[in-house]
Amino acid sequence: MWLLDQWAERHIRDAQKKGEFDDLPGSGEPLVLEDDSHISPELRAGYRLLKNAGCLPPELEQRREAVELADLLKGLRQDDPRHSELSRRLTLLELKLRQAGMNTDFLHGEYGERLMQKLNEE
């Protein structure tokens, strides 16, 4: 845990022990986890319908597909006839994601490895 995180956690625990959070507004009420106040009222029903149907924005759909292709490629040998086609599709998707301004480090496994190392250190 970072030093700042430890400091914040200590202050939160101290405030809890002193009872500073006991009389906050909304105490004991369920949290509203789906805040759609940033969406105009005319579009909220449509957005909720699409979300419940499992539809994603195009960039996230492409990201999901790229992750699936990367997983498939990990399970194939390079001499497999499907490997070159899947690799070509993954490269194309990665290019589209980069053009949309998205980071594609998640496709190369470096991020996951660094995250696991960080979690294991703590």
Side-chain angles (χ1 to χ4, degrees), residues 11-12 34 36 41 48 52 68 70 72-73 76 89 92 98 102-103 108 110 113 115 119-121:
H11 282 282
I12 291 170
E34 291 192 27
D36 56 1
R48 191 170 296 122
N52 291 340
E68 286 178 0
L72 283 172
L73 281 171
L76 290 177
R89 285 178 48 201
L92 180 62
R98 285 184 182 167
M102 292 182 72
N103 188 335
H108 304 289
E110 299 161 4
E113 291 171 9
L115 181 61
L119 290 174
N120 289 332
E121 290 173 3

Side-chain angles (χ1 to χ4, degrees), residues 3-91:
L3 182 60
L4 184 60
D5 294 334
Q6 292 173 352
W7 178 82
E9 287 294 325
R10 187 184 63 207
H11 282 282
I12 291 170
R13 279 193 303 274
D14 290 345
Q16 285 174 327
K17 288 177 186 174
K18 293 177 187 175
E20 294 178 12
F21 298 135
D22 292 346
D23 296 323
L24 291 176
S27 180
E29 297 177 18
L31 295 174
V32 179
L33 298 177
E34 291 192 27
D35 178 23
D36 56 1
S37 60
H38 61 283
I39 300 172
S40 66
E42 306 85 43
L43 297 176
R44 286 182 189 160
Y47 272 68
R48 191 170 296 122
L49 181 69
L50 289 171
K51 180 182 174 198
N52 291 340
C55 294
L56 294 173
E59 297 83 16
L60 292 180
E61 184 64 36
Q62 289 173 344
R63 180 186 167 123
R64 183 194 57 75
E65 185 179 350
V67 168
E68 286 178 0
L69 285 172
D71 288 343
L72 283 172
L73 281 171
K74 287 178 188 174
L76 290 177
R77 295 190 328 249
Q78 289 198 352
D79 60 346
D80 190 304
R82 297 173 292 170
H83 188 276
S84 61
E85 173 61 23
L86 292 176
S87 182
R88 187 188 64 76
R89 285 178 48 201
L90 179 59
T91 303

